[in-house]
Amino acid sequence: PAVALLILQQTLLMGAAMLTGTWVESGQHRARATTWLGRLLALCTLGWASGLFYFGWIFVLHDYPRGGNPLGALALLACYIPAIAALGALLGLWFGNRERALQVLLFTTLPIAFVAGFSWPDEALPEPLPWLRWLLPRTSGVQASLRLNQVGAPLAAALPHLAWLAAMAAVAWGAVLWLATRTKKKKS
C-alpha cells in the first residue's frame, strides 16, 4: 500500500510539472490567480480520482492490507493531493520545460522511495536525509496512510501528518500563485 502512494505522487507530480512546463514554453504560465486556482483544482480532481481508484478499488481487488478508517483515508487524500499538485506546478515553473521536468522527476523516483521510511529504516539514512525527506508529500502521506489505512487508527493519530501536508499545500500554492501572477518589471 505504501508503494501506491509513491505511484500516486510521482504520476501526479510528473504530470503537473510537464503540463506547467508546457505552459511556460508557450507563455501561458503568466495568468491571473483565478486561472491558476482553476488549473490547480483541475489537477487535484485528477489526483483525487486516482486516489479513490487506489484506495477504493485496487486495494480491495488485490486484497492489500487495509484498516477500518475510510473517512480518514478521504481526509488523507484531501490533504495529500493538493500538496502534490502544487509542488508539481511549482517544479514545472522552475524547470521551465516539460522534458526537463520528466527527466528529473523520473530519475528521483527510486531515491524518494528509499527515503520515504518504509523500505529503508530511517535510522540508517545519512544525517541530512531524515530531515530533508519531510519536504516531500510522500513521507507524511505514507505515515498517515499507515495509521489510517493499515492500522485503522482514529483521525487524531494522523493529524500531525495531515497538518504538515496541508501546510505544504498552502505554501506551494502560494508560491505558484506568486510566481505565475507576477509581471516582469520594466527596466528604466
Side-chain angles (χ1 to χ4, degrees), residues 24-186:
V24 172
E25 289 173 358
S26 65
Q28 295 175 342
H29 67 292
R30 299 275 182 219
R32 296 184 327 208
T34 54
T35 302
W36 269 101
L37 287 174
R39 289 173 175 176
L40 288 170
L41 286 174
L43 289 169
C44 285
T45 302
L46 293 171
W48 286 321
S50 297
L52 290 173
F53 177 69
Y54 275 104
F55 284 30
W57 176 249
I58 295 295
F59 286 5
V60 173
L61 178 68
H62 294 287
D63 199 28
Y64 285 164
R66 55 199 178 281
N69 195 345
L71 294 178
L74 291 176
L76 168 61
L77 286 177
C79 297
Y80 186 59
I81 297 300
I84 297 167
L87 182 61
L90 189 60
L91 289 172
L93 287 170
W94 183 47
F95 292 138
N97 67 42
R98 62 183 174 263
E99 290 86 9
R100 189 171 302 127
L102 181 63
Q103 291 166 347
V104 171
L105 293 174
L106 195 58
F107 176 74
T108 61
T109 300
L110 195 55
I112 287 172
F114 281 114
V115 299
F118 71 90
S119 63
W120 189 270
D122 300 340
E123 297 81 19
L125 292 173
E127 187 49 45
L129 293 180
W131 298 100
L132 292 175
R133 72 188 188 110
W134 290 100
L135 297 175
L136 300 168
R138 168 93 172 71
T139 305
S140 290
V142 166
Q143 296 303 317
S145 179
L146 289 174
R147 287 165 177 75
L148 298 170
N149 290 334
Q150 270 61 69
V151 180
L155 189 60
L159 277 181
H161 300 293
L162 297 179
W164 182 246
L165 286 169
M168 278 196 293
V171 168
W173 280 50
V176 166
L177 292 176
W178 180 75
L179 285 172
T181 60
R182 68 185 179 138
T183 56
K184 291 184 180 179
K185 296 184 180 184
K186 297 178 183 177

